[in-house]
Amino acid sequence: MDIAILTLFPDMFTGPFSESMLKRAQERGLLSIHLHNIRDYTHDKHHTADDTPFGGGQGMVMKPEPLFEAVKAALSDLGDRPNTPVILLTPQGRPFTQAIAQELSQHPAMVFICGHYEGMDARAEEALATDSISIGDYVLTGGEIPSMAIVDAVARLLPGVLGDDMSAVDDSFATGLLEGPTYTRPAEYRGESVPDVLLSGDHAAVDRWRREQSLRRTYERRPDLLESANLTAADRAYLEKLKAGEVEE
Ligand SMILES: C[S@@+](CC[C@H](N)C(=O)[O-])C[C@H]1O[C@@H](n2cnc3c(N)ncnc32)[C@H](O)[C@@H]1O
């Protein structure tokens, strides 16, 4: 997958993209990140990428000309592939979810535009972006951290990135539910033992326990997810018992 990121602060990406899974994904040729400094697409001697807002008011607004040029160059660099998403990071975009990460992971290439200051000129937003995404109902100083979060969530869904292609399958939200608790050695720590079933070697019983724990966690922490989750008759029966207080801790 090829990802172009347009930013005024390309150095912010050095750490997060040079460690762990994202580093390995790039080394193995599964992911290629193309950073474009928006300032490189300015033509005045001060490399001015922002200006004061028309009508007055606080802060600075990103100028449209460098953004148009930067998007054109980024798309060209990606081979001008048709239907390449150009995604604007904005707190006003559609809320980012695992389903959107899944959707984006199907594209071979995409472009992210990171806003900064008060955001960008509305003409650039309207003409350039094919999609706009928010990472939550709060306002950050720039789109850099949101784009890193989205790239991370998308990259780990690419075949081969996690090593074991199944490891994302049971993650929270992938199934519509939260993932249940996990344990590792030692089997007993500070007087607390791991559940016996996990040491039983009975794979069917472990699978059933994991499903029930996932249902329990979702019921306790994010009951809203149960409304749209794909539940079996056994899941519903377990939830009924849980609600009635008929399930042991
Ligand atoms: C200070 S914010 C601008 C907020 C804008 N004035 C508004 O009220 O909608 C600067 C930039 O940070 C990014 N940003 C801030 N919060 C974000 C969020 N929750 N999700 C995605 N991007 C965000 C956007 O790229 C935005 O253009």
Side-chain angles (χ1 to χ4, degrees), residues 89-92 115-119 133-136 138-143 146:
L89 284 320
T90 163
Q92 303 179 18
H116 226 91
Y117 315 121
E118 280 306 307
I133 296 181
S134 162
I135 62 158
Y138 43 82
V139 176
L140 300 167
T141 53

Side-chain angles (χ1 to χ4, degrees), residues 94-194:
R94 56 180 178 143
F96 189 55
T97 59
Q98 188 68 21
I100 296 178
Q102 192 72 51
E103 173 195 319
L104 294 178
S105 73
Q106 307 302 309
H107 288 273
M110 67 198 71
V111 177
F112 288 100
I113 313 177
C114 304
H116 226 91
Y117 315 121
E118 280 306 307
M120 61 191 65
D121 184 282
R123 292 163 295 186
E125 271 190 32
E126 276 155 34
L128 299 174
T130 62
D131 194 358
S132 61
I133 296 181
S134 162
I135 62 158
D137 289 350
Y138 43 82
V139 176
L140 300 167
T141 53
E144 285 74 16
I145 290 172
S147 70
M148 290 176 209
I150 295 171
V151 169
D152 189 287
V154 171
R156 66 192 294 284
L157 298 177
L158 299 177
V161 168
L162 292 185
D164 173 358
D165 285 343
M166 294 306 286
S167 47
V169 169
D170 296 326
D171 277 336
S172 295
F173 310 110
T175 59
L177 300 173
L178 301 183
E179 190 177 37
T182 53
Y183 298 87
T184 186
R185 276 176 281 276
E188 189 171 328
Y189 182 64
R190 294 190 164 198
E192 297 282 339
S193 301
V194 309

